[in-house]
Amino acid sequence: SQTIHQWPATLVQPVGSPLSLECTVEGTSNPNLYWYRQAAGRGLQLLFYSVGIGQISSEVPQNLSASRPQDRQFILSSKKLLLSDSGFYLCAWSGSKTSGGASSFLYFGPGTRLTVT
Amino acid sequence: GQQVMQIPQYQHVQEGEDFTTYCNSSTTLSNIQWYKQRPGGHPVFLIQLVKSGEVKKQKRLTFQFGEAKKNSSLHITATQTTDVGTYFCAGFSSGGSNYKLTFGKGTLLTVNP
């Protein structure tokens, strides 16, 4: 069965420090991968998605970046964190390459709660 | 760009009462998906509707997809404390990106036992 891992679960970082969040998926190949951010009490904001190794699409211009060095690994990074980067970061994957496909829904990881102080 | 709106933002009910959340898209959707996020947890997929006018049921939950494929609803009959959480709708814009799933802001349901 497929599983998705994210770490760390919680993180407290000072303003201006770098960030690296990692997400890995097991039990599937060539997944679509996603990074979402959820501010406290708010909805889900799509940050990046990737349909293959080295292919990254950015949805929101900001000081964050994403990379996909391996098929089932997705990394979210920042060189200098801002206070506004605080939030709940969720990695997700889907199996379908078409929007209406039977497996186009998302499986979310457990998330990382980031607090920038 | 595509926008997905959900109402109400919050809903508090007494256990046993019914609950409904509504989802409206600014564009026609190829499908609509519903997710539930328990407090402190991550969103979990509930169901996907694809056909115009489609209705699906999961025990006490009833999901509908509008005839124009621009709106949807989730109705819970006789709520229980286990129904507490935020319910999100999400959709792919018809003719848009195959990968960009746009989420509504969610409806937070609280249930008083």
Side-chain angles (χ1 to χ4, degrees), chain B residues 2-77:
Chain B
Q2 180 192 14
Q3 291 186 339
V4 177
M5 294 147 286
Q6 267 187 269
I7 55 170
Q9 190 174 1
Y10 307 97
Q11 184 75 59
H12 178 75
V13 300
Q14 289 292 126
E15 189 172 21
E17 292 181 339
D18 292 357
F19 159 77
T20 304
T21 173
Y22 300 90
C23 179
N24 290 283
S25 171
S26 59
T27 60
T28 302
L29 301 171
S30 58
N31 64 33
I32 190 86
Q33 301 175 5
W34 286 92
Y35 294 78
K36 177 183 178 180
Q37 183 178 21
R38 293 181 186 275
H42 58 276
V44 174
F45 173 77
L46 292 177
I47 206 162
Q48 174 173 276
L49 304 172
V50 179
K51 299 176 183 177
S52 170
E54 190 171 12
V55 178
K56 287 189 176 180
K57 292 188 176 184
Q58 288 181 348
K59 297 183 180 178
R60 294 176 296 103
L61 278 61
T62 301
F63 304 84
Q64 293 187 329
F65 199 12
E67 293 290 340
K69 301 185 76 173
K70 295 182 70 174
N71 62 288
S72 181
S73 65
L74 159 59
H75 179 80
I76 302 178
T77 303

Side-chain angles (χ1 to χ4, degrees), chain A residues 32 34 36 38 41-44 46 49 51 59 88 90 96-102 104-106 108-111 113, chain B residues 9-10 30-31 33 35 37 40-45 48 50 88 92-93 97-106:
Chain A
N32 299 327
Y34 303 81
Y36 282 87
Q38 185 175 36
R42 304 291 297 276
L44 297 165
L46 178 62
Y49 65 90
V51 302
E59 289 298 309
F88 190 35
L90 291 155
S96 177
K97 299 303 181 185
T98 60
S99 63
S104 67
F105 53 88
L106 302 183
F108 284 88
R113 297 196 183 277
Chain B
Q9 190 174 1
Y10 307 97
S30 58
N31 64 33
Q33 301 175 5
Y35 294 78
Q37 183 178 21
H42 58 276
V44 174
F45 173 77
Q48 174 173 276
V50 179
F88 294 98
F92 291 102
S93 183
S97 167
N98 285 339
Y99 312 107
K100 183 180 175 181
L101 188 61
T102 301
F103 281 79
K105 292 192 182 299

